[in-house]
Amino acid sequence: MFLPVTLGRASEEIVLQVEAAILDGRLAPGERLPSERDMQVQFGAGRGVIREAIKTLQQKGLLAVRKGAKGGAFVRSLEVANVSESLALFLKQHPVSPETLIEFRETMDRAITVLAIARGSKADKEALLAGARRLESLLRESGPDLAATDELDRSLNLRLARMAANPLFEWVMSALQMGFSSHDYALYADPVFREKAAANWSDTAQAIAANEPARALSFIGHHYVLLRQCVESRSERSGPVEAPFLNEPSD
Amino acid sequence: MFLPVTLGRASEEIVLQVEAAILDGRLAPGERLPSERDMQVQFGAGRGVIREAIKTLQQKGLLAVRKGAKGGAFVRSLEVANVSESLALFLKQHPVSPETLIEFRETMDRAITVLAIARGSKADKEALLAGARRLESLLRESGPDLAATDELDRSLNLRLARMAANPLFEWVMSALQMGFSSHDYALYADPVFREKAAANWSDTAQAIAANEPARALSFIGHHYVLLRQCVESRSERSGPVEAPFLNEPSD
DNA sequence: TGCGAGGTCTTGGTCGTACCATTTTGGCGC
DNA sequence: GCGCCAAAATGGTACGACCAAGACCTCGCA
């Protein structure tokens, strides 16, 4: 199955061969690669080289390694999480302004909303509306559980993206969401903004459920107006934002 | 600077320490890490472990390694390409239909175009127009160099995305481009479509240079109409498309 | 004095071996 | 039949040696 290596960086050569085998489908997800000592023979390379190649493929998310008997390197199906991780790392080194993120998300949200109205099932739309209402009521409590509301907010966004029936939108949105751990920014703390945003979520969901794209987009716009106001008031209070302030309380 | 490792997987511990040092700014881009043999001592680990950790960080895009005297591991500034690579790999494992991709790209293109008109410099816009004209003339030749035109097309798209002055758009666009090697699908082969698409590119660039968003969006729409027609005619000729038919001849 | 060829030193890249840690499996004894 | 322990498989770590590439220094020759 594999050929001995001769060229430059041996481990890179191995990575390419295995990666190609996986992407071609010659190695299916769940399948087990030979043991390191076997590959050492098949590739005609030292074990260290094999291990470095496996390390790289592991980092790429293509392999998972278990130790012990019946262990070894197993082909993995790539998850959005891998992409998110990579994006998150990038954003940590290149903090983007809140406005940059808001701008991008607003674009995506508008496109997704239109598609979701056109393609989402009745059940989807009702579930979305129910979720939005639930979020609203959760936020109306005194001392709301911010972690829970944040989680609900994320799941609603994800559900909406899924309703668009285009996996690319879904993947990009979830990469953005997962890229930033929620505890980094507690914009949620602002009670005034919180209530308006939650009510707006319900309005949006209702417009979507009623198949009213114009109204829905209008509410989406309102959401981002609120968000921008909130960011602005926050940066006034605490000086310029340095940390990547990347999630919205309730969009 | 670094502490000896004791816990579970030693190389992971090292990765975390170095990664933290880089993200904290304790290690600045361009800076050189100690040699492997030095780190071997500092971390109190074998050299193989150090090498595996470096391999991981290299894969993440955080380090670049040169060999020879004065070589070593150097801290790198993360590029959009790193993130795009990750997303591209993901897309290779999860092929999507042409329509899915077209839909997504059209959304992105429209948003990018509006932003590019608003934010791109005069020079950017003229360079874009010049590039589009050059593409048009290249394609008018008999027996055009498809590899070159494809490359030019990609660079124009990337330039446009950069003009939008929002790295997130740039990231997504370059990931989409990288996801699909050009030789997989030679839609470019169709001479009728080719000429129209190239002319349309020039029209688009001209509208952008003239700061006419409405006209530009109209041309963008036309481009995707052409693309959909082309895909359709192609799938009629050769049966259902199975391969991820993901690039356009000249968008 | 200037300059080039070759040596030398640093440093990553590869190989080999040995040993440890963990997990599965099977056999042995009760 | 059940449970415990030993053995085997396999990744994880360590150490040592040598190779290869690149930067720098030295020495000899013109």
Side-chain angles (χ1 to χ4, degrees):
Chain A
M1 176 156 213
F2 299 126
L3 304 170
V5 282
T6 56
L7 300 177
R9 285 153 287 270
S11 69
E12 286 310 311
E13 180 73 16
I14 295 176
V15 167
L16 290 180
Q17 281 195 42
V18 177
E19 186 174 320
I22 293 176
L23 294 179
D24 288 2
R26 300 204 303 277
L27 287 173
E31 201 163 337
R32 180 179 168 281
L33 269 63
S35 76
E36 294 180 356
R37 290 168 179 85
D38 285 347
M39 283 198 273
Q40 182 176 355
V41 177
Q42 288 188 43
F43 282 110
R47 195 174 156 210
V49 175
I50 305 291
R51 284 185 60 78
E52 286 185 17
I54 290 177
K55 203 74 183 168
T56 297
L57 291 163
Q58 208 180 340
Q59 174 57 34
K60 285 194 179 192
L62 287 169
L63 292 182
V65 174
R66 290 201 302 269
K67 67 177 163 183
K70 292 290 180 180
F74 294 81
V75 177
R76 234 179 67 160
S77 192
L78 276 180
E79 308 282 333
V80 184
N82 293 100
V83 185
S84 309
E85 212 174 312
S86 168
L87 177 61
L89 190 61
F90 176 82
L91 292 176
K92 272 184 192 165
Q93 230 195 2
H94 303 261
V96 298
S97 70
E99 177 54 30
T100 298
L101 185 75
I102 291 174
E103 180 176 288
F104 185 80
R105 290 204 54 156
E106 186 167 3
T107 301
M108 300 286 292
D109 252 4
R110 287 177 177 276
I112 286 172
T113 301
V114 172
L115 290 175
I117 290 176
R119 297 177 182 165
S121 71
K122 193 94 184 121
D124 277 334
K125 290 171 183 172
E126 275 161 14
L128 188 74
L129 183 53
R133 292 245 162 88
R134 180 143 166 276
L135 179 65
E136 203 178 351
S137 73
L138 274 182
L139 279 174
R140 243 197 281 277
E141 294 172 5
S142 62
D145 178 354
L146 295 187
T149 52
D150 195 62
E151 185 51 38
L152 180 54
D153 175 74
R154 287 180 187 229
S155 78
L156 285 179
N157 274 297
L158 223 51
R159 174 186 288 274
L160 183 60
R162 210 184 317 272
M163 284 165 61
N166 183 325
L168 293 175
F169 285 103
E170 195 181 333
W171 293 334
V172 171
M173 281 304 269
S174 68
L176 280 182
Q177 285 197 347
M178 295 172 53
F180 327 110
S181 51
S182 56
H183 49 77
D184 284 337
Y185 21 75
L187 244 204
Y188 243 140
D190 186 331
V192 179
F193 175 77
R194 184 162 65 210
E195 204 147 322
K196 285 187 189 170
N200 193 61
W201 232 131
S202 287
D203 289 340
T204 309
Q206 197 162 16
I208 290 172
N211 295 322
E212 300 252 21
R215 277 169 56 86
L217 288 181
S218 185
F219 290 128
I220 296 273
H222 183 215
H223 169 73
Y224 284 100
V225 167
L226 289 174
L227 182 55
R228 284 189 169 91
Q229 284 173 357
C230 189
V231 168
E232 199 171 338
S233 75
R234 216 178 148 74
S235 70
E236 273 170 15
R237 274 205 303 268
S238 58
V241 182
E242 341 113 8
F245 165 69
L246 291 158
N247 208 16
E248 315 90 326
S250 89
D251 83 301
Chain B
M1 172 157 218
F2 298 125
L3 303 171
V5 285
T6 57
L7 301 176
R9 276 156 271 274
S11 69
E12 286 310 311
E13 180 73 14
I14 295 175
V15 166
L16 290 178
Q17 281 196 41
V18 176
E19 187 175 317
I22 292 176
L23 294 179
D24 288 1
R26 301 204 304 276
L27 286 172
E31 201 164 338
R32 179 179 169 282
L33 269 65
S35 77
E36 294 180 355
R37 288 168 180 84
D38 285 349
M39 283 198 275
Q40 183 177 353
V41 177
Q42 288 189 42
F43 282 110
R47 196 174 154 213
V49 174
I50 306 290
R51 285 185 59 77
E52 284 185 18
I54 289 177
K55 206 67 183 171
T56 296
L57 291 164
Q58 207 180 341
Q59 173 58 33
K60 285 193 178 192
L62 287 169
L63 291 182
V65 174
R66 290 200 302 268
K67 70 174 166 182
K70 296 291 181 180
F74 294 81
V75 178
R76 233 179 71 162
S77 189
L78 276 180
E79 308 283 333
V80 181
N82 293 103
V83 189
S84 301
E85 208 174 322
S86 166
L87 179 56
L89 189 63
F90 179 82
L91 291 177
K92 275 185 189 166
Q93 236 197 1
H94 299 77
V96 296
S97 73
E99 176 55 30
T100 299
L101 184 76
I102 290 174
E103 180 176 288
F104 186 79
R105 288 205 56 155
E106 186 166 2
T107 301
M108 291 282 117
D109 252 3
R110 287 177 178 275
I112 287 173
T113 301
V114 172
L115 291 175
I117 289 176
R119 297 176 182 165
S121 71
K122 192 93 185 125
D124 277 334
K125 291 171 182 171
E126 275 160 13
L128 188 74
L129 183 53
R133 292 246 161 88
R134 180 142 166 276
L135 179 66
E136 203 179 351
S137 72
L138 275 181
L139 279 174
R140 244 198 280 278
E141 293 173 7
S142 62
D145 179 352
L146 295 186
T149 51
D150 195 62
E151 184 51 39
L152 180 53
D153 176 74
R154 285 179 189 230
S155 77
L156 286 179
N157 274 298
L158 223 52
R159 174 187 289 274
L160 184 61
R162 211 182 318 270
M163 284 165 62
N166 184 324
L168 295 175
F169 285 103
E170 197 182 332
W171 161 59
V172 172
M173 283 305 269
S174 71
L176 284 181
Q177 288 196 345
M178 290 174 53
F180 327 110
S181 50
S182 57
H183 49 74
D184 284 337
Y185 21 76
L187 247 205
Y188 243 141
D190 187 331
V192 179
F193 176 77
R194 182 162 67 209
E195 204 148 321
K196 284 187 189 169
N200 193 62
W201 232 132
S202 286
D203 289 340
T204 309
Q206 198 162 14
I208 290 172
N211 295 323
E212 301 253 21
R215 276 168 56 85
L217 289 181
S218 185
F219 290 128
I220 296 271
H222 183 216
H223 169 72
Y224 283 100
V225 167
L226 288 174
L227 182 55
R228 284 189 170 91
Q229 285 173 356
C230 192
V231 168
E232 199 172 337
S233 75
R234 217 178 148 72
S235 70
E236 274 170 15
R237 275 205 303 270
S238 57
V241 183
E242 341 114 9
F245 166 68
L246 292 158
N247 208 15
E248 314 91 326
S250 88
D251 85 302

